[in-house]
Amino acid sequence: MATDKHPQPIKIAILAMGGEGGGVLADWIVDLGEQAGHWAQTTSVPGVAQRTGATIYYVELFPKSAALGGGPEPVLALMPLPGDVDIVLASELMEAGRAVQRGLVTTDRTTLIASTHRVYSITEKSAMGDGRVDADQLLAHAQAAAQRLVCFDMAALAEREGSVISAVLFGALAGVGVLPFSRAQFEATIERAGLGVKSSLQAFAQGFALAQNPALITPPAPMAQSATKPVPQEPVLRACVDQVWDMLAEPARTLAIEGVRRMADYQDPAYARLYVDRLESVHQALPQDPMEVMAALARHLALWMSYEDTVRVADLKTRGSRFDRVRQEVGAQPAQLLRINEYMHPRYQEVCESLPARLGTWLMASPRLRALGERVLSRGRVVQTNSLSGFLLLYVVSAFKPWRRRTLRYQLENQRIELWLSLVRQWVPAHPALALELVLCQRLVKGYSDTHARGHHHHDQLLALVAEHGARLSAEQLRALREAALADDQGNAFRSTLASQGWA
Amino acid sequence: MAERSFVQEVQKLRLGAGEEFVGEGILAVTKALLESGVSYVAGYQGAPISHLMDVLADAQDILQEHGIRFENSASEATAAATLAASVNYPLRGAVTFKATVGTNVASDALANLASGGVTGGALIVVGEDYGEGSSIMQERSHAFAMKSQIWLLDPRPNLPSMVKAVKMGFELSEASHTPVMLQLRIRACHVHGRFTASDNVRAPFALHEAMEQPQRDVSRIVLPPASFVHEQEKLTHRWPAAVDFIQKHQLNEFFDGEAKDVGILVQGGNYNALVRVLERLGLADVYGRCRVPLYVMNVAYPVVDAEVLRFCQGKRAVLLVEEGQPNFVEQNVATVLRQAGCTTLLHGKDMLPPAGEYTLHEVLKGVRAFAQRYDLIAAAQTSVAQALPAAASASAAPAPTPTKAHKVFALKPLQQVVQPRPPGFCTGCPERPIFAAMKLVEKELGAHHVSADIGCHLFSILPPFHIGNTTMGYGLGTAGASAMNVPAGKKAISIMGDGGFWHNGLTSGIANAVFNRSNNLTIVVDNSYTSATGGQDVLSSKALNPTRSTGHLIEKAVRGVGVEWVRTFKRTYDVAGLRDALKEALTSTQPGPKVLVAQSECMLNRQRREKPQVRAQLAAGQRVVRERFGVDSDTCTGDHSCIRISGCPSLSIKTNPDPLRTDPVATVLDSCVGCGMCGEVSHAAVLCPSFYKAQIVSHPSAWERWWDGLRRQVVGVLQRRRAQQLAQWAF
């Protein structure tokens, strides 16, 4: 048979998400091929996949010159055959993984060109904690499966050039030089398409350059560690830093110093002192020095002690640094005016908790005032932070910071914190593993209003469990319970795990 | 206004004899209709033939030049009934709709049409939505062709074959007085290719002549005794006539090969897949010249006994490549061979998968099994796992070592990191807040039975909403809750889109609920288009359509059939308001069905309309306010409840900039269109204060600039004061 005497079609699969320009890319490649004397065929299965779903565009090119005396035309396929694809273009890292999973990427022939940026799946996004999959896993699979892998963050490039990923991919495709067409032919294709030509060509050039010289790709910087001891001006803070520096080793040290910084920002040096004393109290209880407990504690104690109350929110929302950040985030030009509107919905409980403890407790207790208050606060408010009235409102609220220690919320949080710490201290000597899991339980306490209440509820249950059955409770069980509490926001997994472990 | 504009492409419909047409398959079919001299075209949109409808809509001036009437049918039944014009008059007509879902709706009209038969050519273009990316039940239109005796064409998926099928289809229809169904698979509809055009033909007999000199022939009407005669006629006259025509014009193709003692019968639509697989196995070249003889059935129904016997003559065995189940053709061919006493062995779904899409990989496995059984290739590799290296080894490229090849199949760890990407609501979709509001109501009143419908809104059954218990078909949301009509603690909720509402929901659902005294709630999602099929106009569209009558309110129609409790909600993004309206409807003691019309324009179409305007305004230096949302990462605690209640593509997560926090924070991507849903939800659900709405004012007025400057100064002073305090303690 003539099979090997004649050239094969060039087989190209494009994996993209709906509305990502995969179709445009396919059309470019077809036009490129046809202008360069090839038969070109492309097809896809749009339908509802267009609506943000993952979809595959498939292209085949065949040189007319190779045809026997100008004909017959080759029979081209309408879908890729696993193990028989020359080039795979993936607009995103998980789509690259999908291409490997579908067997489209093989070591004997496939050049895989992919963007390393992530567009998170709904499963990853909606997790209550961190549901993101390991990008290195995906990269490793791509690396292992492809004959040649060219990948870099094309989304960032596209954004910088004010263009789209498909243009960068097209540039990378030209850059790897697997197609028998010149750079000029590629660029002419973009010009013929005639839409956003200038920015597309710039993005194309970037993709081309990086594909030819991957060395240009800059790796992300690792988390900075404080190699040298910082020296605060304020004496109390300086003392705190010194104490932490001597008490702890990395990674606990960096986290604890960050914690001191956070306490000063949140309240004042005295509060930082309280933070360090609390660390100290657990550290003393430690038999030897398992830094993971202290690292976890430095992190989670700082987070808990800087709980988000109305004062904190008002403070953060009104800072100049925040105004600048928003400006930069939304990409507002200097000539443009920017209005920042906050969506605030304080509930009666939160208002009471921000008041002096006695008053707050009394207001919470009074059913008539509660009814009234809840009616007043039933609707959320939109506050324009950079209007005079809006700013002053929040600024005044944040000005109550010095009186924070008197508030009901402060009392409640501190009772909880102390109970938590006492249990940690109690179990750290005999059962450090359990203590560690107990420290990590602080993760449950986050969010606002209902979310926050639910978290606290689960956290309290776990503390009670440790207090009561600590001796019979294994670290694994506690971890399982904590993860169950983060599995769904109805608390179903949590209840069932409690039951399965025989506590409820 | 459809999602995709074909205003440029339609000029290709003017191409004359000898000129080369280059473009999409579905556009080529449209050109073929013009070259066949049709008098009228009708249809109902839906993938994969939405583009056919959009092309026709954008080509109306060209259609008028040729005296062709184009109808946007109210449903597939309407479209099929339109073919009645070809019963008494020598008028060629074509209708189009989506796959079995369309044929289901159309089958009443199709059966009546097929019984009486046609005078002018009647062509039904059915876009098959089968396999990957399909959003419908996996069935075959083939069954409809058989039960009503409509001839079924399944041409090879290249433009010349598809164009030929259209033209021959009309002739076959006229020669046998039988409607003809042209089946186009989704990939064929969207395939980019080329063919040599002919001149367009104007129909010799015009529609107005039919209207002015009406003819009738009682023997064509489905009523006894004529209907009994039709049944006989189908077998004694129309079938033989069709078979003669098919053979005479060689609609089915024979490709010879050296290995004469075996052969492969294949549906035209699967030809390219088969040839590629044979080429991979070294049994064909890239030009389709095979060692194995092929019989390509471009006519899937009827099966031409004589041709089958001729092909199988003297062969040890043949393989039939027939996609989908039941295996109608295989059963048919088996009977033909058996009754003729032919000893050729018939293989089909014993070697190929009994059900599911015939992907290249599946066809490869089946054909390899056949080729090995009959010594066409060495019986070396047989296992599935080795299929691919075997395939590759047939190519010019050197064979990969098995270890490498096995990587292809090392899916297990990948399955944990590669997650599905279900289709979902677009950024800023006005349907999202409806389901967010339903979620909030669910929190208060508990879960309700929800009868879902067909349309974008069906994405509510997927994460993050998980709303919807059943879906019984287009426009049947309310009908699907009919039985839930007894005194109970809760009402049932039905969802219906404006598309489904006008398609049949008004009668099958709303009127039915009125007549049967239902108390349930129907939410009609009114976004001004049939969005899921590509944003075509419907009666209630707000857009002024030059050739169609729009602006007919759904509320008026609903009241017209006797619904008392109707609310039209004009801004779906008002989640709290929508939540309260839903609660009112669900708790109302007033008897009779409740209908809530939730109105807001489809964001895809709205953006397409507004973006150019905004660009123009900016260019002209006019004042423009752009809104988009954002999240303050220092107050976001990474709980993601906002995402769980929204699922907006532009609401995502990013690594927490806070060195102390580990969970990723929510973030709003620049694709945000500022629909306002995030803010409304964080209010209604009392989520968190992290969301902000940024209003970016371009070309502000002098007064605005002055006032803004003043504010900045005052605010700046206070901010610097605060910053200095913090600076003392910073390090």
Side-chain angles (χ1 to χ4, degrees), chain B residues 40-348:
Chain B
Y40 63 95
V41 189
Y44 194 86
Q45 61 273 5
I49 54 83
S50 278
H51 287 179
L52 178 48
M53 294 298 291
D54 299 343
V55 166
L56 291 166
D58 288 337
Q60 294 200 37
D61 52 339
I62 302 175
L63 297 181
Q64 275 159 13
E65 289 166 25
H66 297 82
I68 300 169
R69 173 60 195 170
F70 168 54
E71 286 272 314
N72 284 99
S73 307
S75 76
E76 294 83 355
T78 314
T82 310
L83 290 170
S86 299
V87 171
N88 295 308
Y89 310 99
L91 292 166
R92 286 187 169 185
V95 301
T96 185
F97 40 72
K98 173 193 176 87
T100 39
V101 287
T103 325
N104 288 334
V105 176
S107 53
D108 187 7
L110 289 179
N112 282 283
L113 180 75
S115 184
V118 295
T119 308
L123 189 70
I124 304 142
V125 181
V126 177
E128 280 305 337
D129 184 13
Y130 183 78
E132 182 187 5
S134 174
S135 53
I136 60 167
M137 78 296 283
Q138 299 296 281
E139 292 185 354
R140 299 182 70 179
S141 307
H142 200 110
F144 289 91
M146 288 165 61
K147 82 164 181 60
S148 301
Q149 191 170 316
I150 297 171
W151 312 136
L152 181 66
L153 306 183
D154 184 6
R156 292 198 272 145
N158 61 63
L159 269 49
S161 301
M162 285 152 65
V163 168
K164 182 185 173 202
V166 171
K167 296 179 172 179
M168 283 296 168
F170 282 112
E171 292 184 27
L172 171 61
S173 175
E174 281 154 3
S176 61
H177 300 289
T178 305
V180 171
M181 204 183 275
L182 170 61
Q183 179 185 41
L184 293 176
R185 290 172 168 75
I186 186 161
R187 285 189 174 81
C189 288
H190 297 298
V191 73
H192 168 98
R194 63 195 58 65
F195 75 94
T196 311
S198 318
D199 290 324
N200 295 338
V201 174
R202 192 189 176 91
F205 184 83
L207 275 163
H208 69 83
E209 296 177 65
M211 294 163 74
E212 288 154 6
Q213 299 107 35
Q215 301 165 20
R216 70 186 291 272
D217 174 359
V218 72
S219 73
R220 295 298 109 210
I221 297 170
V222 182
L223 203 68
S227 46
F228 299 109
V229 180
H230 296 159
E231 191 185 9
Q232 300 301 326
E233 216 177 81
K234 279 179 172 178
L235 296 171
T236 53
H237 294 77
R238 303 184 207 169
W239 191 304
V243 169
D244 289 348
F245 184 94
I246 293 163
Q247 288 181 283
K248 186 151 154 283
H249 296 85
Q250 299 174 5
L251 299 190
N252 296 320
E253 299 166 284
F254 291 79
F255 294 93
D256 205 2
E258 302 147 23
K260 304 227 176 285
D261 63 338
V262 292
I264 300 179
L265 304 86
V266 61
Q267 293 169 298
N270 292 116
Y271 171 82
N272 287 39
L274 175 65
V275 168
R276 171 56 52 87
V277 161
L278 288 170
E279 187 268 334
R280 296 285 75 196
L281 291 170
L283 295 172
D285 65 14
V286 287
Y287 308 101
R289 294 172 306 178
C290 308
R291 259 177 62 200
V292 189
L294 302 184
Y295 173 54
V296 180
M297 306 171 82
N298 295 312
V299 182
Y301 178 82
V303 170
V304 181
D305 302 19
E307 287 186 349
V308 169
L309 289 170
R310 199 175 95 214
F311 181 73
C312 296
Q313 183 104 56
K315 297 196 185 310
R316 278 190 295 160
V318 293
L319 174 71
L320 174 65
V321 181
E322 175 190 14
E323 188 177 42
Q325 62 92 23
N327 57 347
F328 297 122
V329 181
E330 191 174 332
Q331 294 176 32
N332 197 332
V333 170
T335 315
V336 171
L337 296 178
R338 185 87 183 92
Q339 286 178 342
C342 174
T343 58
T344 306
L345 234 114
L346 174 65
H347 294 287

Side-chain angles (χ1 to χ4, degrees), chain A residues 3 8 11 17 30 34 40-43 45-46 48 51-54 60 62 66-67 72 74-79 81-82 84 92 94-95 97-98 100-103 106-108 119-121 123-130 132-133 141 144 232 234 237 258 261-262 264 267-269 299 303 308 315 317-320 322-323 325-327 329-330 336-339 341-345 347 380-381 384 386-387 391 395 398 443 446-449 451 489, chain B residues 3 22 47 132 135 157 186-188 190-192 194 272 275-276 279-280 282 284 286-287 289 291 359-361 388 394 400 404 407-408 411 413-415 417-419 421-424 426 459 531 576 580 604 623 628-629 632 634-635 637-641 643-644 647-649 651-653 655 658-664 679 682-683 686-698 700 704 708 711-712 714-715 718-719 721-722 726 729 731:
Chain A
T3 312
Q8 285 290 306
K11 298 153 187 172
M17 273 155 288
V30 166
E34 288 182 336
Q41 179 177 284
T42 180
T43 189
V45 282
V48 292
R51 309 280 185 254
T52 74
E60 290 199 354
F62 191 83
V75 179
L76 302 178
L78 284 81
M79 62 177 94
L81 172 66
D84 188 34
E92 190 263 358
M94 188 176 276
E95 294 314 306
R98 202 180 310 283
V100 175
Q101 187 180 35
R102 300 183 64 153
T106 43
T107 42
D108 60 298
V119 175
Y120 297 107
S121 75
T123 324
E124 294 175 288
K125 290 200 294 185
S126 51
M128 289 176 73
D130 187 353
R132 292 173 297 178
V133 303
H141 276 287
E234 203 281 331
L237 290 175
E258 194 54 44
R261 195 176 276 125
R262 178 67 45 90
Q267 187 61 31
D268 51 32
R299 177 194 301 279
L303 286 177
E308 292 81 12
D315 178 10
K317 289 265 184 191
T318 48
R319 290 188 182 184
R322 187 250 174 174
F323 279 26
R325 194 186 66 232
V326 169
R327 219 171 217 297
E329 264 181 17
V330 302
Q336 295 173 312
L337 300 191
L338 175 66
R339 303 202 188 114
N341 306 275
E342 319 292 347
Y343 284 75
M344 304 263 184
H345 196 167
R347 298 186 316 166
R381 277 158 187 57
Q384 192 185 326
N386 51 358
S387 75
F391 181 83
Y395 190 80
S398 66
R443 273 189 72 195
K446 62 178 178 180
Y448 299 78
S449 60
T451 319
D489 49 14
Chain B
E3 185 167 317
V22 179
E132 182 187 5
S135 53
I186 186 161
R187 285 189 174 81
H190 297 298
V191 73
H192 168 98
R194 63 195 58 65
N272 287 39
V275 168
R276 171 56 52 87
E279 187 268 334
R280 296 285 75 196
V286 287
Y287 308 101
R289 294 172 306 178
R291 259 177 62 200
T359 61
L360 289 181
H361 185 51
L388 297 182
K404 280 184 176 177
K407 281 214 180 68
V408 177
L411 296 185
L414 255 179
Q415 281 162 339
V417 285
V418 177
Q419 293 169 341
R421 282 198 202 272
C426 310
F459 297 150
S531 301
D580 299 342
L604 270 183
R623 181 178 182 280
R628 67 155 282 184
F629 277 72
D632 280 308
D634 47 12
T635 51
T637 57
D639 160 73
H640 313 140
S641 40
I643 292 171
R644 287 194 294 279
C648 177
L651 179 57
S652 187
I653 50 176
T655 304
D658 180 344
L660 288 175
R661 297 185 196 271
T662 50
D663 291 337
S682 58
H683 263 175
V686 200
L687 285 182
C688 86
S690 305
F691 278 100
Y692 65 81
K693 177 172 76 184
Q695 290 166 303
I696 303 145
V697 188
S698 307
E704 264 184 309
D708 185 70
R711 288 199 308 202
R712 281 203 206 190
V714 180
V715 168
L718 295 171
Q719 284 179 329
R721 213 167 128 258
R722 177 68 50 78
L726 288 169
W729 299 336
F731 60 90

Side-chain angles (χ1 to χ4, degrees), chain A residues 265-343:
Chain A
D265 180 88
Y266 182 80
Q267 187 61 31
D268 51 32
Y271 200 53
R273 161 57 51 200
L274 174 62
Y275 169 75
V276 175
D277 292 346
R278 281 172 164 169
L279 285 181
E280 178 76 55
S281 71
V282 173
H283 188 256
Q284 280 165 356
L286 279 170
Q288 71 289 24
D289 207 323
M291 266 310 141
E292 51 190 341
V293 176
M294 287 313 293
L297 187 68
R299 177 194 301 279
H300 289 281
L301 180 61
L303 286 177
W304 199 341
M305 285 180 71
S306 58
Y307 59 88
E308 292 81 12
D309 59 3
T310 42
V311 172
R312 178 65 170 172
V313 171
D315 178 10
L316 292 173
K317 289 265 184 191
T318 48
R319 290 188 182 184
S321 53
R322 187 250 174 174
F323 279 26
D324 301 339
R325 194 186 66 232
V326 169
R327 219 171 217 297
Q328 178 257 329
E329 264 181 17
V330 302
Q333 303 305 318
Q336 295 173 312
L337 300 191
L338 175 66
R339 303 202 188 114
I340 308 171
N341 306 275
E342 319 292 347
Y343 284 75

